[in-house]
Amino acid sequence: MKTLTPAVNSLLDKLYNLRGEDSVILVEMDKQKQKAEETKERTTNQKKDLQQKISELEQLHEELDEQGEKLRDVLSGINRDDYKTVLDRLKIDFNPKGLVEKLDNSLPKTIDSVKDDTKRAEAELIKVEEEMNNAITTIEELGIRKDAALANQEKLNEYFELALTGRINITRDSITSLLEQFSFGEEEQREAAKILMFPEDALFTYDDKVKSKEKTGKSISEVLAEAKTASMEEPIKEEIKEEEETVVEPDNNYQEYDVKNDMIATLKEEGLDYLDFTAEEVEELVDNFNKDLVKNNIELIAKKGIGLDVFNSNISLMYDIDLKGKIESLQNNGKESIDLYLNPSVLSKYNLEGLKSRISDMKANGLDPKEVPLVAY
């Protein structure tokens, strides 16, 4: 039986975290969303300030142009000598010509400075708008990703509930493709698939621990943190306890476990992976397992060039004592390997005598079995 080793405990920590509201994925998404919303608020305010600044600079530029031109026209039309007596008597330093020269020298530089400030503000506005738009896009994408993450979490919880109640009947691909969405590596996907498809003591032990601690009102994070600490502090003690519990299990449990291991090893030797079959199919094969018969039937299918994937959804062919006779009977009546590959159900539909009887009936009715499609058998 699979014990709750540190490696298995660590994998279940990760899986159970993903099942809860404080899933690291959901928590990280919430952090990213909060950061994006803060960025959106900040850049929205910055955009407003920059737009106002640009508007004020553009107005300043316009006023400098207009008023500078008017002032030049006014000063250029004044002859100081026309006001010499008053200016001298009152000691007023007024030199229209000098002022025009100063205006012509300084105003263009001032206007250029305003233009530069405007360009800098406009460039900053572009950056701020880009940052703001990125934040808005991030918020929208996170909303979509969170919906997908919640859907994946719901499916993961469904798989766990089915596994814990002994009702799971799904393929490895269903589990691994789901776990791939959670960024699990291939080895983690494979091990998790084993745990869910063929639940053993480790899963139930871990689940009991989580549920017992949840009753105290602790969050899933606190529960998992304690579970992880406990697994680090007492791994040897825990494994010894489980070994002691295993000693008192009935003999039939040992026998079933040995048969299952033998079956898994046999499939592996023949180039098959038991995880490619549903839990129900695996249990069916365990219940009917005969090592020599299974090996012979797998090798027969391979030798005939039919294709080993015919066993998918047709697991009974592995322990079918009539398989060789049925294949030969069909081939003797004109059927080829490709016909059997495309219609393997005909092999499980009849026993040998039933198939021979069906072929005899066809011939008696003037039909050529070779010309009759296998789906019509």
Side-chain angles (χ1 to χ4, degrees), residues 74 112 119 158 161 172 208 234 282 293 372:
V74 170
D112 287 342
K119 288 179 180 179
E158 177 187 348
E161 291 306 315
R172 176 178 61 174
D208 287 341
E234 303 179 356
V282 170
L293 178 60
V372 178

Side-chain angles (χ1 to χ4, degrees), residues 2-9 12 201-203 205-206 209 231 235 238-239 242:
K2 187 181 290 296
T3 57
L4 191 57
T5 63
V8 174
N9 196 92
L12 287 171
D201 289 351
L203 176 59
T205 299
Y206 188 96
K209 286 184 177 181
S231 68
E238 184 177 69
E239 290 178 17
E242 290 183 356

Side-chain angles (χ1 to χ4, degrees), residues 18-19 23 45-46 55 98 117 120 127 138 140 145 173 175 184 209 238 286 326 330 354 367:
L18 294 173
R19 297 183 61 194
S23 158
N45 292 332
Q46 286 179 325
S55 177
D117 289 344
R120 281 192 290 270
K127 291 181 180 180
T138 298
E140 293 173 349
R145 286 172 53 197
D173 287 344
I175 298 174
F184 274 65
K209 286 184 177 181
E238 184 177 69
V286 169
K326 288 188 286 189
L330 288 168
L367 298 174

Side-chain angles (χ1 to χ4, degrees), residues 92-327:
I92 297 175
D93 184 14
F94 178 62
N95 183 359
K97 185 177 180 180
L99 289 174
V100 170
E101 291 177 354
K102 185 175 182 180
L103 185 64
D104 289 340
N105 288 331
S106 300
L107 185 59
K109 295 179 182 178
T110 301
I111 291 176
D112 287 342
S113 175
V114 172
K115 287 181 179 179
D116 290 340
D117 289 344
T118 304
K119 288 179 180 179
R120 281 192 290 270
E122 288 173 340
E124 182 65 21
L125 178 60
I126 292 174
K127 291 181 180 180
V128 168
E129 285 181 329
E130 182 178 0
E131 187 178 7
M132 181 184 70
N133 291 333
N134 287 339
I136 293 172
T137 300
T138 298
I139 293 170
E140 293 173 349
E141 290 178 348
L142 284 170
I144 296 171
R145 286 172 53 197
K146 186 168 184 178
D147 287 342
L150 289 171
N152 288 335
Q153 184 185 69
E154 184 178 356
K155 186 176 290 186
L156 180 64
N157 280 326
E158 177 187 348
Y159 286 175
F160 265 91
E161 291 306 315
L162 290 172
L164 290 166
T165 55
R167 295 182 290 116
I168 196 164
N169 187 29
I170 54 177
T171 64
R172 176 178 61 174
D173 287 344
S174 299
I175 298 174
T176 56
S177 61
L178 174 62
L179 295 180
E180 189 175 3
Q181 303 301 312
F182 291 108
S183 299
F184 274 65
E186 289 185 5
E187 186 59 33
E188 287 182 316
Q189 293 175 25
R190 182 179 177 83
E191 186 62 27
K194 289 180 183 178
I195 292 173
L196 287 172
M197 292 177 69
F198 310 103
E200 296 178 347
D201 289 351
L203 176 59
F204 296 106
T205 299
Y206 188 96
D207 190 68
D208 287 341
K209 286 184 177 181
V210 171
K211 287 179 178 176
S212 65
K213 291 178 179 179
E214 282 179 340
K215 292 178 181 178
T216 65
K218 298 177 180 178
S219 69
I220 186 69
S221 294
E222 294 172 324
V223 170
L224 294 178
E226 291 183 7
K228 184 174 182 180
T229 301
S231 68
M232 294 175 63
E233 292 177 348
E234 303 179 356
I236 298 177
K237 180 178 180 181
E238 184 177 69
E239 290 178 17
I240 292 175
K241 180 180 179 182
E242 290 183 356
E243 288 177 1
E244 291 173 350
E245 292 174 349
T246 303
V247 172
V248 299
E249 289 183 346
D251 291 339
N252 62 334
N253 284 352
Y254 278 118
Q255 293 170 358
E256 180 181 349
Y257 185 62
D258 289 341
V259 171
K260 186 174 181 180
N261 278 346
D262 195 14
M263 179 272 295
I264 292 172
T266 300
L267 293 184
K268 185 176 181 180
E269 289 173 9
E270 300 300 325
L272 292 173
D273 191 333
Y274 78 104
L275 289 176
D276 288 331
F277 303 95
T278 65
E280 186 177 87
E281 289 173 329
V282 170
E283 292 306 316
E284 179 184 342
L285 186 56
V286 169
D287 292 341
N288 298 277
F289 185 69
N290 178 309
K291 183 173 182 177
D292 292 335
L293 178 60
V294 169
K295 283 176 64 69
N296 289 337
N297 282 351
I298 294 175
E299 291 170 2
L300 173 66
I301 290 293
K303 182 179 179 181
K304 293 291 185 179
I306 296 174
L308 296 183
D309 52 344
V310 298
F311 292 118
N312 294 341
S313 302
N314 294 283
I315 198 73
S316 63
L317 296 181
M318 285 193 186
Y319 58 85
D320 188 344
I321 60 176
D322 291 335
L323 184 62
K324 182 178 180 181
K326 288 188 286 189
I327 291 175

